[in-house]
């Protein structure tokens, strides 16, 4: 059965019925043709073509016309020859049409008389002075002249080859046993129905030859079944979903393949194709419970920042924004993601960029937003990607012309970027030379934004710039950029009035170690006298030392973990886990726990309340996290150690909030404290590049070690050797013997160390992470690098060890999991940068962490989402898992969002137990002991809150 036979079958029944209606939409009445008129006109055209065309081999006739009432008759006339109909769009780019006609090796083309001049001017290379033409009604038949011989389907000099091929396969164009044929052959007289080409927007256009047997079942399907049920294949069509290895899958994601015994087309130069051939469609889908869900097109899939991205997602999210009238997204030069927007308000770019950050994962955020008056379209109604690329090229050329006219221009534009990134008042005429980014309201996320804007401004990457932004003044940032932008010039540096202080610059009070407020609440023991204690720090980290010689029991609420699971010198013993899988599950929306205005506690639990027990003023913001040390011989002497931006380090009584001592250090303190092995010293890093060792009972300075830059990393103590490990912004890691007051080793890390090191007992590895994106495993004894992995984006999160794995969060929004031998096991993707460090449950079966996408996440050790809880702001702090002290054995989770809210969640389900709002932003991580929570706040205070259940109010 052929298409023309279907038409004749209908015409025989409805000869005088209307077959075609055409409305030009020009306020004129529509025109109608009956079946009789259509068939008669088609027969006249068929006779005309048979008279004037010399067909040899494959029969294909082009049709160059605009839509009109005669179009169905013309198509039918070509099919009845029989020949394949080849549509050529007069509005298509001439180069594409010429390529198509040459590739088809088209010999004859019918041109609508109205389009003659256009055709001749656009396609003169296909014509010669003696080109054969003949007219028929409103059409002119051209016989095309060809100079090139690169196509081999029906060249005149290829006729002999064609004849030999015909004999070889023993198939004549007149006599074929179709039942026994194992291939479909396009050279058969009645084989082809029409020939099309793809758009070519993602590569060289493909030629697609469609046989009657491939398209007729569609029409038969519609005749048999009205309406057509969506989601099921048409008659004679086979649908398969295959994975990346080409295997058919019943569940999961893959690409759709279409085919069937006779549903076969010919691509490009194919002459024969096996029956039942399956073709890749370029459509990616997910199969779930027998149903297929569309994900996107292959030509819309890109790999960006190491992850797959369907750029249609970016367009869909942007189109939902009220300020965007229409938009399009391109992957410019396969390196930049550009969002083109039509908007009446030219000032909305900054707002739209922030909105996109709320709804898109970090790897989907466009590199640039370009405002345009209207979107360009092709004649087929598709977005004209080539035109958009031209628009963007003009855009960047214009930007480059306006970029930098000199060093003074750089200084002015740097100040503008500084103010816009930090949301400073526009009437602030000049940013003071000594301004520090973090002191001016900056944070880690804003620093990455400023870095991106600066590198866009100067048109190149600036090595080490992120570290400079985080630690230096705007003047020093400017001088650092100058060295990259004008490397060959004799640059006169502005004299910095905010240079870093050297150790020799430290004032006499600091050198003498005099304390602001000293109260010796206990006699200092020398370092060889060992105290027994338990130390709690952020992320439910617990360290129990020397407790076996004491019988004091802290009770089940005294620590994050049950006391009987704590070893003498190491962190809690670990349990075996199941074997890992390679890829984590996708996030399932059903796991999302959202905040409602009238929140309810989990079923079967009593509502918990938080009340301030005490607060302690530090004078400035408290971004450091608390260290809580519990002496086993005197639990009532439990102490909180914490530092502040005011340069003050404090020791505060855990139960009363009474200040035991305060010590003024040389600069801001963001590093969290670490306790020594003997319990007699507290170690903390400082912005002035020093690591301070303070006597834990008085705050007196015992030793100061100098690094080359600010120390924001929090120290880690090795319980077996007593060594202190810490990182610095000078791009080095250090091992310090505080008892002998010496540096044991210094190791170059290849990037700024912002986060805290993590020590694993077996194998004995020390892990450091850098703002350059490196995760390093270091030998704790020597400082030698065992292995390293580049994560591609900065690592502000601290690594966290468990028995089998090491986990860390990345600015690209991924939580990454590795074995202790450096093999990546899985990655879990969130929709925002991760600065929060992972926290593991006591059983090490779950991982808790926060993301800048405003969610708190819980994953299992295979990287599968267990639940996620939506907060009201970004989550920077590390969560803390602890036992509920209401008599039950349930585990709770304390977490903080940057807007000052404290969230208490049930760790198994993520159900909200309580929420409390502090009066300032929170970047400090909570620590919970018994029924009390300690945390720092940017309102200058350290807070202790009572966690009160229904039975304790």
């Amino acid at each position: 059965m052929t298409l023309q036979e279907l038409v004749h079958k209908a015409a025989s029944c409805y000869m005088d019925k209307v077959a075609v209606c055409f409305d030009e939409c020009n306020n004129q009445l529509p025109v109608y043709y009956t079946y009789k008129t259509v068939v008669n006109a088609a027969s006249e055209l068929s006779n005309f073509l048979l008279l004037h065309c010399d067909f040899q081999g494959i029969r294909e006739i082009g049709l160059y016309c605009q839509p009109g009432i005669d179009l169905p008759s013309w198509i039918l006339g070509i099919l009845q020859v029989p020949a394949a109909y080849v549509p050529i769009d007069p509005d298509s780019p001439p180069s594409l049409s010429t390529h198509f006609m040459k590739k088809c090796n088209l010999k004859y083309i019918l041109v609508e008389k109205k389009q003659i001049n256009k055709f001749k001017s656009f396609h003169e290379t296909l014509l010669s002075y003696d080109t054969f033409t003949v007219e028929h009604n409103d059409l002119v038949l051209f016989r095309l002249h060809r100079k090139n011989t690169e196509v081999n389907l029906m060249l005149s000099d290829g006729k002999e080859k064609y004849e030999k091929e015909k004999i070889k396969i023993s198939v004549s164009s007149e006599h074929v046993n179709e039942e026994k044929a194992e291939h479909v052959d396009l050279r058969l007289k009645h084989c082809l129905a029409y020939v099309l080409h793809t758009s070519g927007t993602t590569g060289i256009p493909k030629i697609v030859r469609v046989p009657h047997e491939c398209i007729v079942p569609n029409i038969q399907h519609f005749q048999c079944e009205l309406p057509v049920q969506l989601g099921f294949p048409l008659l004679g069509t086979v649908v398969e979903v295959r994975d990346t290895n080409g295997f058919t899958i019943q569940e999961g994601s893959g690409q759709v393949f279409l085919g069937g015994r006779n549903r076969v087309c010919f691509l490009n130069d194919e002459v024969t194709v096996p029956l039942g051939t399956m073709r890749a469609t370029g459509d990616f889908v997910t199969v779930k419970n027998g149903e297929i869900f569309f994900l996107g097109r292959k030509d819309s899939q890109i790999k960006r920042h190491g992850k797959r991205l369907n750029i249609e997602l970016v367009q869909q999210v942007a189109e939902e924004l009220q300020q965007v009238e229409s938009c399009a997204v391109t992957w410019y030069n396969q390196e930049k993601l550009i969002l083109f927007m039509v908007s009446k308000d030219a000032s909305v770019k900054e707002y739209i960029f922030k909105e996109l950050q709320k709804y898109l994962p970090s790897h989907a955020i466009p590199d640039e937003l370009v405002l345009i008056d209207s979107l360009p379209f092709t004649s087929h109604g598709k977005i004209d990607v080539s035109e958009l690329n031209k628009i963007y090229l003009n855009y960047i050329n214009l930007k480059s012309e306006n970029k930098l006219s000199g060093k003074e221009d750089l200084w002015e534009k740097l100040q503008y970027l500084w103010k816009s990134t930090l949301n400073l008042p526009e009437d602030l005429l000049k940013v003071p030379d000594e301004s520090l980014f973090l002191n001016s309201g900056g944070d880690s996320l804003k620093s990455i934004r400023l870095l991106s804007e600066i590198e866009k401004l100067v048109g190149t990457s600036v090595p080490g710039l992120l570290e400079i932004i985080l630690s230096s003044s705007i003047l020093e940032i400017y001088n650092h950029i100058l060295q990259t932008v004008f490397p060959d010039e004799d640059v006169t540096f502005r004299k910095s009035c905010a240079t870093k202080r050297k150790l020799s610059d430290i004032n006499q009070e600091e050198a003498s170690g005099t304390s602001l407020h000293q109260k010796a609440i206990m006699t200092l023991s020398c370092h060889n006298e060992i105290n027994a204690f338990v130390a709690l720090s952020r992320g439910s980290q617990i360290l129990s030392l020397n407790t076996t010689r004491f019988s004091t029991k802290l009770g089940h609420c005294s620590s994050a973990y049950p006391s009987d699971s704590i070893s003498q010198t190491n962190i809690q013993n670990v349990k075996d886990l199941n074997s890992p899988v390679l890829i984590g599950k996708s996030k399932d929306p059903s796991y999302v726990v959202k905040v409602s205005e009238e929140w309810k506690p989990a079923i079967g639990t009593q509502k918990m309340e938080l009340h301030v027990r005490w607060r302690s003023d530090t004078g400035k913001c408290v971004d450091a996290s608390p260290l809580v040390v519990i002496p086993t011989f005197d639990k009532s002497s439990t102490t909180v150690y914490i530092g502040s931006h005011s340069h003050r380090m404090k020791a505060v009584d855990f139960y009363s909030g009474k200040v035991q001592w305060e010590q003024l250090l040389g600069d801001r303190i963001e590093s969290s404290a670490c306790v020594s092995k003997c319990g007699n010293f507290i170690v903390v890093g400082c912005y002035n590049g020093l690591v301070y060792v303070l006597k834990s009972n008085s705050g007196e300075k015992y030793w100061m070690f100098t690094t080359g830059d600010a120390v924001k990393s929090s120290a880690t103590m090795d319980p077996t050797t007593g060594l202190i490990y810490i990182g610095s912004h000078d791009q080095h890691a250090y091992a310090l013997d505080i008892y002998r007051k010496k540096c044991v080793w210094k190791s170059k890390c290849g990037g700024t160390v912002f986060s805290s090191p993590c020590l694993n007992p077996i194998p004995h590895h020390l892990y450091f992470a850098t703002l350059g994106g490196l995760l390093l495993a270091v030998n704790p004894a020597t400082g030698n690098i065992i292995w390293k992995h580049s994560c591609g984006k900065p690592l502000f999160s601290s690594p966290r060890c468990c028995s089998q794995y090491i986990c860390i969060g990345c600015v690209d929004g991924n939580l990454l999991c590795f074995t202790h031998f450096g093999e990546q096991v899985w990655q879990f993707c969130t929709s925002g940068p991760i600065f929060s460090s992972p926290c593991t449950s006591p059983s090490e079966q779950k991982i808790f962490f926060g993301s800048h996408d405003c969610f708190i996440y819980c994953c299992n050790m295979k990287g599968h989402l267990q639940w996620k809880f939506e907060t009201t702001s970004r989550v920077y702090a590390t969560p803390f898992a602890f036992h509920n002290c209401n008599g039950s054995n349930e585990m709770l989770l304390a977490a903080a969002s940057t807007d000052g809210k404290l969230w208490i969640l049930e760790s198994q389900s993520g159900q909200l137990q309580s929420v409390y709002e502090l009066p300032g932003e929170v970047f400090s991580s909570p620590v919970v002991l018994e029924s009390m929570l300690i945390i720092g706040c940017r309102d200058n205070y350290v807070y202790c809150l009572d966690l009160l259940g229904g039975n304790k109010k």
Side-chain angles (χ1 to χ4, degrees), residues 503 684 688-693 703-708 711 726 730 734-736 741-746:
L503 184 58
V684 67
N688 64 354
L690 299 187
V691 179
Y692 289 85
V693 181
W703 181 48
M704 292 173 289
F705 174 76
T706 308
T707 74
V711 181
I726 197 164
D730 68 2
Y734 296 88
L736 307 178
K741 299 185 178 180
K742 62 175 289 188
C743 177
V744 177
W745 54 254
K746 173 183 178 181

Side-chain angles (χ1 to χ4, degrees), residues 81-239:
V81 168
Y85 156 61
V86 184
I88 312 293
D89 184 0
D91 295 330
S92 180
S95 58
L96 180 61
S97 297
T98 301
H99 171 84
F100 180 39
M101 289 187 279
K102 285 182 177 180
K103 189 69 177 172
C104 289
N105 199 27
L106 200 63
K107 189 175 181 180
Y108 296 100
I109 185 168
L110 288 165
V111 179
E112 188 179 16
K113 284 184 178 179
K114 296 177 184 177
Q115 306 295 328
I116 288 289
N117 292 335
K118 190 173 189 178
F119 176 79
K120 286 182 176 179
S121 63
F122 282 172
H123 302 291
E124 59 183 352
T125 58
L126 298 174
L127 307 175
S128 66
Y129 70 94
D130 61 347
T131 295
F132 164 84
T133 61
V134 61
E135 295 186 12
H136 173 75
N137 297 335
D138 292 326
L139 294 171
V140 177
L141 177 67
F142 282 75
R143 178 169 182 167
L144 300 179
H145 170 76
R146 213 170 291 92
K147 293 180 182 178
N148 62 311
T149 59
E150 72 270 13
V151 231
N152 61 5
L153 282 181
M154 198 199 71
L155 292 176
S156 57
D157 59 355
K159 182 178 177 182
E160 182 179 346
K161 179 181 176 182
Y162 165 70
E163 293 296 337
K164 288 180 180 178
E165 177 70 9
K166 206 165 54 163
I167 296 169
K168 181 180 176 182
I169 62 173
S170 302
V171 176
S172 78
S173 56
E174 301 294 335
H175 304 93
V176 176
N177 186 343
E178 293 185 4
E179 292 297 317
K180 294 182 179 179
E182 293 301 321
H183 292 73
V184 58
D185 193 321
L186 62 77
R187 295 165 297 191
L188 301 178
K189 188 174 180 181
H190 293 279
C191 177
L192 293 184
Y194 54 88
V195 183
L196 302 174
H197 64 85
T198 58
S199 65
T201 55
T202 58
I204 298 173
K206 294 184 181 68
I207 307 302
V208 184
R209 291 178 166 85
V210 182
H212 286 276
E213 284 189 338
C214 186
I215 194 66
V216 166
N218 290 4
I219 299 168
Q220 292 173 329
H221 187 107
F222 280 81
Q223 290 175 335
C224 301
E225 184 181 325
L226 291 173
V228 176
Q229 188 174 5
L230 296 178
F232 293 92
L234 297 178
L235 188 67
T237 303
V238 176
V239 177

